[in-house]
Amino acid sequence: FVVALAMRTPVALDAIHDRNTLYRMTDEGKAQNVYTLKIMNKEERPHRFRVSVTGSPGVQLAPLSPVFEVAAGEVYNAAVRVERDAFETTGNETIRFTVTAETNPKLTASAEARFFAPAR
């Protein structure tokens, strides 16, 4: 029990792609995907988590670096949009979301998801 308690991660993240549409095209020629991030704060105090995304060249959050306040012991559902130039993608790529507590950069979690765009 003590070992399990000591190895418990204080934050977890799950990324779920919107099931209604694979992607939508913006007026600027970018492919945009919508995700629900489930941010799980397992600590006894609230945290502000900053979201980032990596993995595919040019991929970015819209708006950039959103921040979400997550209460102690809460699972917070955050809707985020990710976009990139539609014509610089292969159509289906892996991206990685990361959440980091603003007050403690060691308090972090990440999750992979798929980014969809029109095939070239």
Side-chain angles (χ1 to χ4, degrees), residues 19-88:
R19 297 170 202 254
N20 294 324
T21 58
L22 285 180
Y23 63 89
R24 75 174 191 95
M25 297 299 296
T26 66
D27 293 337
E28 295 82 28
K30 295 186 178 197
Q32 190 176 82
N33 289 211
V34 176
Y35 302 85
T36 299
L37 301 181
K38 292 187 179 286
I39 305 169
M40 294 158 259
N41 180 8
K42 301 176 187 177
E43 286 208 322
E44 299 293 324
R45 61 187 180 130
H47 288 286
R48 289 175 49 91
F49 290 99
R50 183 167 303 278
V51 179
S52 62
V53 66
T54 57
S56 179
V59 70
Q60 65 183 20
L61 290 160
L64 297 174
S65 299
V67 176
F68 301 100
E69 181 82 27
V70 184
E74 181 181 32
V75 176
Y76 186 85
N77 292 321
V80 295
R81 291 177 289 144
V82 177
E83 61 186 23
R84 71 164 293 176
D85 187 356
F87 303 106
E88 294 181 10

